[in-house]
Amino acid sequence: MSFVFTKKNTLKIQELKKSYPKKKALILPLLWMVQKQDNFISEAAMKKVADITEQSYIHIYGVVTFYTMFRLNKPEKKIIEVCRTLSCELNGSEDIKAYLDYNYSNEYEILEVECMGACSGAPMCTLNGKYMENVTKEELTRVLK
Amino acid sequence: MIKKIVSKNFDIKDSFKIDVALKNERYSSLASVFEKTPLEITEIITLSGLRGKGGGGASAGCKWSLLDEYSGTKYLVVNADESEPGTFKDRRILSHDPHLLIEGIIATCYAIKSHISYIYVRGEYEEFSDILQIAIDEAYDRDYLGKNAKYLVDIVVHRGAGAYICGEKSALIESLEGNRGYPRLKPNKISPEMFFGDATLVNNVETIASVPYILKNGAKAYRKYGTPDSPGTMLFSVSGNVNTPGIYEVPFGVSMLEYINKLGGGIKGGKKLKAVIPGGASTPVLPADIVKYSSLDYENLRDNGSALGTGGMIVLDEDVCMVKALKNLLRFYHHESCGQCTPCREGTSWSDKILDKFVDKTATQKDLDILRSISISMNGKTICVFAPAASSVIDGFLKHFESEFLECIQ
Ligand SMILES: Cc1cc2nc3c(=O)[nH]c(=O)nc-3n(C[C@H](O)[C@H](O)[C@H](O)COP(=O)(O)O)c2cc1C
Ligand code: SF4
Ligand code: FES
């Protein structure tokens, strides 16, 4: 399996190179581009990013594994993230998580994450990356139908 | 109590669009900025007493001056990694007044003689950094940015990928350089950050967003608010067990209890206040009897054994189990330690595990002793202040709520 950037992305990469003093700084932007394109980051893609940024494959692998948002595997289901940090816990995030686990774990991958910067809307979760604040079981039932 | 300096446009409809922004003063500070020398601009900021709003509270003007002695390319990096639990103010600036941030960036770049700025936005904020990017594109179209601008500034939005530690400024630069977000050892004297070897200023979003008001109205106008040592205003925020959680900008020095009761709407369900974590999860908890005489400024909170931090208050009501609350926070530290330093990697992991025993009520006196010794071992022995912060969080809970921990001991 090999990895190729789309034409549009290839042009974008040429532009991006002008924005940074060294190619190495392109690593995170390129990995995001890969993940947007494929929905995960394959070994072939990491090799491609290594080539473009003139770094070793293992450096790229080390970077990918450090950041929680990069995925080495294609997700099989849609993702719901539930914030579990203090302000959300004080406002019932555990209940929300349990409710989701019980009713929706077949269709969705339900993950716990740390504070998402939405504490005034606790409890909060994200659905396909989009923020949902002050969530209730009723609202979730409505939205996830 | 509310004094809107940074938050002035937050409630205006479509405030993120350039035409609305222009009608509401955005970019209006720049004309006078370019009439002055960069040195004069920095001096105004120093005189205003503006302090960094990312948690540390360092004098912004002093930090800017550090770049003076460096020649060559200089960079401005805006820290929009905002991941401190209880903190959600920078996101509001990105989504509700991005042009204020852009205006602040242009003025700051002019002052430090930089032509390029990176805004490092936490990966989870994609929706909000998209709004920011559109605003930047608009600013290019109108020649506030780019090669046709009065002063050349380019802005690049750089997306993080989920790591709390990348908010620490040297870790942020490492991440920007394409590495794992490992904090760097601090140099032996106060100096700027280095991005690929060139001097770099790192400031928080809100710090930069405070700059236009000061440059337009003068240092004195800013000092009219707040206290002599904590001048101006801050986007304080409140969450947890309150009726109206949110962001409310007030001058420094306001009473904490008044803020919680008047702006936060008081404790939910008519319950009593038990404690407040005053400035994001990394600041030591304060029990209600200390909250009573606490005020929202750096000096008061330091003297009361905590810190102002990011100004993100987490309010706990009388029914909150403090053992469970500490467990929640230690799980966060365990999850977010970058793992470089042994005391931090091991200490956050073991303290998290030990807390499980307290929650299950299977802990022994020895576990409490171990928890205390872990806290000592994490303080002052690591590359960055993440571990000391975790240590101070443990100490705060044990100092003020020891009895609840003793109740969990067999
Ligand atoms: C563990 C840790 C996390 C931090 N996270 C953030 C953050 O998310 N946002 C931020 O602006 N500053 C954060 N800081 C503070 C930065 O290191 C830095 O002091 C700040 O961005 C400087 O800007 P200021 O002077 O304008 O506050 C963090 C510090 C530490 C030790
Ligand atoms: S103290 Fe913790 S977070 Fe900071 S560098 Fe060391 S291991 Fe990393
Ligand atoms: S604690 Fe859940 S968003 Fe901050």
Side-chain angles (χ1 to χ4, degrees), chain B residues 183-219:
Chain B
R184 295 171 175 168
L185 274 169
K186 302 288 165 282
N188 65 349
K189 64 172 180 107
I190 298 174
S191 36
E193 299 307 310
M194 292 288 169
F195 176 51
F196 288 125
D198 283 317
T200 301
L201 171 68
V202 181
N203 267 139
N204 171 260
V205 169
E206 189 190 346
T207 314
I208 298 295
S210 305
V211 166
Y213 176 91
I214 298 170
L215 295 182
K216 196 169 169 192
N217 300 284

Side-chain angles (χ1 to χ4, degrees), chain B residues 358-375:
Chain B
F358 284 91
V359 172
D360 298 342
K361 296 200 185 322
T362 57
T364 60
Q365 178 62 41
K366 194 165 170 223
D367 291 315
L368 191 58
D369 297 341
I370 294 174
L371 186 60
R372 285 212 160 87
S373 71
I374 291 174
S375 168

Side-chain angles (χ1 to χ4, degrees), chain B residues 38-39 41-47 59-70 74 111-112 190-192 201 203:
Chain B
L39 216 62
I41 300 295
T42 305
E43 209 164 282
I44 296 172
I45 295 300
T46 308
L47 285 174
S59 153
C62 294
K63 256 171 80 169
W64 293 14
S65 307
L66 288 176
L67 280 88
D68 264 1
E69 60 187 87
Y70 292 82
K74 292 175 196 180
I112 64 165
I190 298 174
S191 36
L201 171 68
N203 267 139

Side-chain angles (χ1 to χ4, degrees), chain B residues 52-55 63 79 81-83 164-165 167-169 202-204 207 385-386:
Chain B
K53 319 270 189 188
K63 256 171 80 169
N79 190 342
D81 194 54
E82 187 161 76
S83 322
Y164 166 75
I165 198 60
E168 196 278 339
K169 54 190 191 285
V202 181
N203 267 139
N204 171 260
T207 314
V385 297
F386 175 97

